[in-house]
Each structure stands twice: as C-alpha cells, then as structure tokens.
Amino acid sequence: MAAEIVDDLDLSLGDRRGRGLGQRRSWASAEPFERRATPFNSADAVAGSWRQLVHSYRVHAALLDLVAILLVATPVMVALYEPGAQTALMIAGATLGFVGLVAVLHGYGDAVLGRSAAESRVLVRAGLVSVVVLVLASYAFKAEVSRFLVFVVVPAAALLAVAARLVLRRSLTKLRMHGQAMMRTVVVGEPGPVATVVQDLAVDPAHGYRVVGVCLPSVDAQQTVAGAPMIGAVCDVPQVVVDRSVDVVVVAGSYIGGNGLRRLSWALDRAGAQLIMATDLEDIAAPRLTMRPTGGLSLLEVEVGASRGRMAAKTALDRTLGGLIMLVALPVILLAALAVRLTSPGPAFYKQTRIGVDGAEFTMWKLRTMYVDADRRRAELLGSSEGNAILFKMRHDPRVTSVGRVLRKYSLDELPQLFNVVRGDMSLVGPRPPLAEEVAAYADAVQRRLRVRPGLTGLWQVSGRSDLSWEESVKLDLRYVDNWSVSMDLLILWKTFRAVLRPSGAY
C-alpha cells in the first residue's frame, strides 16, 4: 500500500525519484533539520508573516486585557473602599490576577491567539473562574467581598475584554485580507483531497492560512493542484518545512497512515511547525466533536442532535429576547403599518402560510410591501425572476410599493414575525421559512432544513441574502442546522444588526 511508504522509519528525505536532495534522513531521526541552499528566500517569506507578528499581537492582547479590567474595576473599587495605597494594591492584584489566569488558561498561546471562538472562550472562562475564586476566598477567610464586585464587575470586565479582543481581531483580519499576518501552509496528500483543502482554505483569508505549496505521493504527478505549486513529495515534508519556513502542515485524506502521522509529528516538532488533520467531515463545528481514547484508539464522536438543555436554552432566548425586541420595535411596526395603509389600498399586514419545524404549517405575519394583487401577478413574472432555482426574486419587482421598497431595504417588513417568534412558530435565528411549493421541490438532503424552527434571521441573512445562489443558501442553512448553538445565535443576531445598517442583497 502507498501509505506504507511513509510508515517506514528508513524513509529518506533525499534523492527520491531523482530529486537529488542528497542527504538521506528519516522522519524519526533525532538530528535537527538543517536549512539547505535553495533559490527560495526564506527570510523574505517570514517578513510580515504571522510568525513574525504573533508576539506583537500577544502583547497587544495582554495590554487590552489589563485596560479592560482597570476601566471596570478601578471606579467601582474606589467607590467601595477608601482611596489609598491598599485600594491601589487591590486593583493591581485583581488586574494582574486576571491576566495571569488568562495566561494559565493558555489565552496567550499561539493555538488561541487570533481565533475568535477560542479567545472569547478563554476570557469568559477566566471570568467564571475569577468569580468562583472570590466566592471561595470570601467563605474560607470570612472576608467581606462585595456581591456587586463579584457578580457584576468581574463578568462586565471579562465581557469588555472580549469586546476589546474583537476590535484587535478586526485589525488582524484587515491585515490578512491584504495578505499579511498569514501562516505559511503546506497541504499534503493525494491530489483529490489536497485540491479540496486548498480551495477551502482560499475561500476565507481571515483564518490566516496561505497555501505556499503541496506535497504529493509522487514527484511525477502534476506540477500544480488547485493553483498551488507542487514543492515536494510526501517524504520531503520535514525538509520543505525548514527550507520554506512553513508554519502549518495540513494532511488531507488518508494517504498517510496512523504510524506515519505519528512519525511526521515527531519531525515537525523538531522543525517547529503545526500539524493539522483535514478530515472528510463537512461543516462539523468543534463543539460537536469529542475525542474518546479507547483501547489504544483515538475515537472521534460526532454529536448527531442537540441536547435537551441546548433546545431549552434556545427556546428561552427566543421567548425572552424576542419579547423584549418586539416591545422595543412596536412603535416602529405601528408607524410603518400606518405608512403602508395610507400609501396604497389594502391591509397594513400580510399573512402567508409557511412550513415550520418538521413540516408543520403556520401563519407568518409581515408588513405588506406589495400591492394587493401581487400573488396573482406572480405567475406573469416568473420568466423575469432574478432569484435562484427555487426562490422567486426580482431586483426591481413592479409589484412592490414605494413604501415597501424602503421597508424591504432595512428588513422592517419582517418585524411582525417577532409575534411568530414569541408564539413559538419561529426562532430568532434559523433557516428561512419556506413556502409549501418550495418544500415540495426540496431534494432529500435539503429536507434537513426543516429539523429546526425557521428563523427571523440566519446565516443566509448575514451572508448575502438575495444575492446567494440556491446551492449557497442550502449550504448555509444546513451548516446552521447541524452546528447551531446559543452563542452562534447571538453572534448571528449581532451580524444581522450590522447587515441591516448596510443593506446589501436586500430587495
């Protein structure tokens, strides 16, 4: 088998199939790899890379954490305790203690820095641990610690630190969109899986992976894969890492077996690069994966359905937050309804039967944005649709009223759906609520969209709305259905607010 080649301890890094690299060396060799004379200028490659900028990012992250704690804790502690040296020491101790706790939780490690979910998770965890420590210290030493300080100030400081890291990551994202602060990446494996990984990594530069080349089983294979040049064979990976200052090695597919991966990890440890496995699992978020070592095996468990606790949390979020938003939006809904009623004949609200969770029908409410004969005229306009294969959309739909165009532009026509959210027909976040004829045209895989309640907003809303193709819309909806969480819902709600202020793709 081909994979047995890389499992051999005596696998050479040189003179394989005429490459002429000279010295033979095993992946498991104890000797350090040496930089070879090569036309590639590795010094230029490191300039402006993530390897060079990560220390600066780490320093800025720590400083922002310090500032966040100081901004929240200082005025409160000065108000609670008498100003003086003792209070100053308490503030300094709390600030340094929080930053030290973040460091203990690896919040300043390379595996966390620059990664949105990981950074936020560490900061929230540090806040929770701080609360627990203060409560235990108060009980153990019978010290008077303000409850306001414990249950309000500490969580507020942690959330401010999360917000500060968000601003820092936005600056990092801007750098990466211009090709800076990237991790030099090599993808290893057979051409098919390698091409898929190269294409997927190129979709979003914000994650920081820049593919500088690929390593295939044979140097006699094609010279490029998905636009990435072949820079060596699989057996050359450790030396390629050293010669080209590679930060990350991504192994695609199953060409390299378990023992080979183990030996490759040893070699990359000496070469100073990360090893990442690209599995065949599609759109599976990290919280759904659990490693279960059993009998010498590393078993990967995939969560196949949401737990009752998560479902209850989502329902509670929908009912409480949805109700609050509806109360705030009620004056806007009433004013918009009055504008609709005064500018065109017909009712202010429009109701339509939609398909909800598990195929159940419900009546969805919207502000009317079209003339009352819109449904009858739809058949006449089918040939002019600018939507996708399933959804009917027109950028300049003649059935839309002048007021309706404004309501659609800023998604105000959808505000009455908050009533559906509070009733439980819909969720704040979820797939778009489909019509019955759309569901009838679904392929088998698309039926998965109906596994959760449809949403007032969703990934489709913050990723292009009407500008998306049907395939892109389905992919986003299925990704959400498989991986949703309360934290994801809150993030989508925040992005929806920003998308409404900059209404692209809404018509």
Side-chain angles (χ1 to χ4, degrees), residues 177-202:
M177 296 305 291
H178 290 87
Q180 300 181 11
M182 304 293 282
M183 293 176 286
R184 295 176 58 79
T185 304
V186 169
V187 184
V188 181
E190 294 179 303
V194 165
T196 300
V197 171
V198 171
Q199 291 167 352
D200 288 345
L201 292 180

Side-chain angles (χ1 to χ4, degrees), residues 230-282:
M230 186 186 70
I231 55 178
V234 171
C235 57
D236 299 326
V237 171
Q239 195 63 57
V240 166
V241 167
V242 174
D243 289 344
R244 295 179 176 264
S245 300
V246 171
D247 301 304
V248 179
V249 173
V250 179
V251 177
S254 56
Y255 175 77
I256 303 180
N259 192 35
L261 286 172
R262 187 184 186 193
R263 299 179 189 282
L264 179 58
S265 70
W266 296 345
L268 295 184
D269 177 43
R270 298 192 304 277
Q274 300 176 29
L275 175 62
I276 296 178
M277 294 295 301
T279 70
D280 292 332
L281 295 173
E282 294 185 3

Side-chain angles (χ1 to χ4, degrees), residues 317-318 321-322 325 418 421 426-430 454-458 493:
L317 177 68
D318 288 338
L321 186 57
I325 296 175
L418 289 166
V421 172
M426 295 176 59
S427 177
L428 286 174
V429 182
L456 180 63
T457 184
L493 288 171

Side-chain angles (χ1 to χ4, degrees), residues 121-317:
R121 188 162 48 245
V122 168
L123 290 171
V124 170
R125 192 176 299 161
L128 293 175
V129 172
S130 298
V131 169
V132 172
V133 169
L134 286 174
V135 170
L136 292 178
S138 174
Y139 177 79
F141 298 104
K142 295 182 170 47
E144 290 293 332
V145 179
S146 169
R147 291 183 177 87
F148 181 77
L149 182 65
V150 174
F151 297 109
V152 177
V153 175
V154 173
L159 292 177
L160 183 59
V162 170
R165 290 286 189 99
L166 175 62
V167 174
L168 183 60
R169 282 195 303 274
R170 290 189 66 179
S171 64
L172 176 62
T173 298
K174 290 180 180 179
L175 286 176
R176 286 177 168 172
M177 296 305 291
H178 290 87
Q180 300 181 11
M182 304 293 282
M183 293 176 286
R184 295 176 58 79
T185 304
V186 169
V187 184
V188 181
E190 294 179 303
V194 165
T196 300
V197 171
V198 171
Q199 291 167 352
D200 288 345
L201 292 180
V203 169
D204 191 358
H207 290 297
Y209 296 100
R210 177 195 289 155
V211 178
V212 297
V214 300
C215 291
L216 305 178
S218 172
V219 296
D220 296 332
Q222 64 235 61
Q223 295 302 304
T224 62
V225 176
M230 186 186 70
I231 55 178
V234 171
C235 57
D236 299 326
V237 171
Q239 195 63 57
V240 166
V241 167
V242 174
D243 289 344
R244 295 179 176 264
S245 300
V246 171
D247 301 304
V248 179
V249 173
V250 179
V251 177
S254 56
Y255 175 77
I256 303 180
N259 192 35
L261 286 172
R262 187 184 186 193
R263 299 179 189 282
L264 179 58
S265 70
W266 296 345
L268 295 184
D269 177 43
R270 298 192 304 277
Q274 300 176 29
L275 175 62
I276 296 178
M277 294 295 301
T279 70
D280 292 332
L281 295 173
E282 294 185 3
D283 289 330
I284 303 294
R288 294 180 60 199
L289 302 176
T290 304
M291 289 297 298
R292 296 194 180 280
T294 304
L297 300 175
S298 296
L299 303 181
L300 188 64
E301 180 183 354
V302 181
E303 182 185 73
V304 296
S307 64
R308 291 184 178 179
R310 276 206 297 150
M311 294 295 295
K314 184 177 179 65
T315 300
L317 177 68

Side-chain angles (χ1 to χ4, degrees), residues 266-472:
W266 296 345
L268 295 184
D269 177 43
R270 298 192 304 277
Q274 300 176 29
L275 175 62
I276 296 178
M277 294 295 301
T279 70
D280 292 332
L281 295 173
E282 294 185 3
D283 289 330
I284 303 294
R288 294 180 60 199
L289 302 176
T290 304
M291 289 297 298
R292 296 194 180 280
T294 304
L297 300 175
S298 296
L299 303 181
L300 188 64
E301 180 183 354
V302 181
E303 182 185 73
V304 296
S307 64
R308 291 184 178 179
R310 276 206 297 150
M311 294 295 295
K314 184 177 179 65
T315 300
L317 177 68
D318 288 338
R319 299 292 175 88
T320 56
L321 186 57
L324 290 173
I325 296 175
M326 188 171 67
L327 289 176
V328 173
L330 189 58
V332 178
I333 295 174
L334 294 177
L335 288 174
L338 181 62
V340 171
R341 192 70 180 84
L342 294 176
T343 56
S344 64
F349 295 94
Y350 174 76
K351 60 181 181 179
Q352 191 176 44
T353 300
R354 296 291 180 109
I355 305 301
V357 61
D358 291 332
E361 293 185 350
F362 71 96
T363 300
M364 187 183 76
W365 291 84
K366 298 179 68 175
L367 286 164
R368 182 173 58 83
T369 60
M370 293 184 173
Y371 294 103
V372 290
D373 61 347
D375 288 338
R376 179 180 59 80
R377 296 169 59 189
R378 182 176 184 270
E380 304 171 3
L381 299 171
L382 285 177
S384 303
S385 175
E386 301 173 44
N388 50 53
I390 303 294
L391 305 180
F392 176 85
K393 288 285 184 179
M394 285 186 68
R395 192 173 296 273
H396 302 289
D397 195 328
R399 303 172 299 160
V400 180
T401 65
S402 56
V403 170
R405 294 191 189 282
V406 177
L407 296 179
R408 286 186 169 207
K409 182 177 181 180
Y410 294 100
S411 300
L412 298 178
D413 60 315
E414 298 175 0
L415 289 178
Q417 293 174 34
L418 289 166
F419 174 69
N420 293 112
V421 172
V422 175
R423 282 188 54 184
D425 300 324
M426 295 176 59
S427 177
L428 286 174
V429 182
R432 174 187 171 277
L435 295 165
E437 56 263 33
E438 295 170 2
V439 173
Y442 282 178
D444 288 344
V446 187
Q447 295 287 339
R448 176 72 176 171
R449 294 174 82 248
L450 304 178
R451 194 64 187 90
V452 299
R453 287 194 297 270
L456 180 63
T457 184
L459 282 177
W460 52 273
Q461 176 85 353
V462 298
S463 305
R465 295 202 261 186
S466 299
D467 292 334
L468 295 174
S469 68
W470 172 245
E471 291 74 16
E472 291 170 330

